[in-house]
Amino acid sequence: PIISELQKDKRVKGVTAQAMARVFYVAGSIELNGIVNGINVMEEVKLFNFGDYIVEGSGESLLKNNNGILLGAGIAKKMSLSVDDKINVSTPNGGFFPLKIVGIYQSGLAEVDNTQSFVNLKTAQQLLGEGSNYISDINVKLYDMELAPEMAKELTKSFDLTATDIQTANAQFETGTSIRNLITYAVSI
């Protein structure tokens, strides 16, 4: 119902649903903690230029493969994996899923590329053991980004949920990065 309402809003260019799953990436004896985001890849490409961050493979490959994964570049490097390799993903509730790497995703932010990967929305729902109506996030693309803070407040009030605008999200990310860099610098000395 929220997505339907958002799609009717004249300020909204597009809406995409996501399902986020915390996982362990497993390849041989290597195990890494991370996050898999289930997405509608073609909507993400259209609205958020997602395709610009796929450095190997393609978004279409993910669309065609329900057991495919766009692996974060940092994960791929740490685990010595590449396109067409297999990776196992285990969930905290005991699920174990073999996936085929159909592409490598690189955002340019090490914190993201070292933990995050993407699968089809349906695959993420299966990882979570949830039905086809389960989503954890809704991303909204506005025609005018300056309206984001106001709209986030409206959505929080109207639907009794947490809505974060891009300016706030980026400020939180920058603050976190600055603090981590300061800690790293202090520890390095």
Side-chain angles (χ1 to χ4, degrees):
I2 296 171
I3 291 174
S4 292
E5 283 297 312
L6 288 168
Q7 290 171 331
K8 294 175 192 172
D9 193 311
K10 301 276 188 243
R11 301 169 291 179
V12 175
K13 184 174 184 177
V15 182
T16 63
Q18 290 189 358
M20 184 193 76
R22 297 208 175 274
V23 299
F24 292 100
Y25 302 106
V26 182
S29 62
I30 303 171
E31 189 172 296
L32 296 175
N33 189 17
I35 297 170
V36 169
N37 284 306
I39 61 172
N40 176 328
V41 71
M42 298 320 289
E43 284 297 311
E44 294 285 335
V45 166
K46 183 173 87 177
L47 293 172
F48 301 107
N49 301 321
F50 185 78
D52 294 351
Y53 302 102
I54 300 172
V55 294
E56 290 182 52
S58 68
E60 291 80 17
S61 298
L62 184 61
L63 182 65
K64 295 174 186 174
N65 190 335
N66 279 336
N67 293 321
I69 186 169
L70 288 169
L71 197 62
I75 301 162
K77 184 176 180 180
K78 287 179 183 180
M79 300 182 100
S80 299
L81 296 170
S82 58
V83 174
D84 292 329
D85 287 344
K86 302 271 191 220
I87 187 168
N88 293 307
V89 174
S90 67
T91 61
N93 62 2
F96 196 77
F97 298 86
L99 300 172
K100 179 181 178 183
I101 301 170
V102 297
I104 305 293
Y105 173 88
Q106 185 169 14
S107 68
L109 301 170
E111 294 174 19
V112 173
D113 298 335
N114 289 338
T115 60
Q116 207 167 90
S117 295
F118 297 89
V119 296
N120 287 320
L121 183 58
K122 180 180 177 182
T123 304
Q125 291 163 337
Q126 290 172 343
L127 287 171
L128 291 162
E130 297 288 349
S132 62
N133 62 344
Y134 177 84
I135 58 173
S136 58
D137 297 280
I138 299 171
N139 291 326
V140 181
K141 174 90 177 220
L142 301 177
Y143 287 105
D144 182 356
M145 190 171 76
E146 298 300 319
L147 299 176
E150 174 190 326
M151 188 168 198
K153 289 176 188 169
E154 286 176 27
L155 293 172
T156 297
K157 187 176 179 181
S158 297
F159 295 107
D160 191 29
L161 49 74
T162 302
T164 306
D165 65 90
I166 190 71
Q167 289 92 333
T168 302
N170 282 344
Q172 291 168 349
F173 181 79
E174 290 297 324
T175 300
T177 300
S178 297
I179 290 171
R180 279 186 290 283
N181 289 344
L182 179 63
I183 291 169
T184 302
Y185 179 73
V187 171
S188 298
I189 291 177

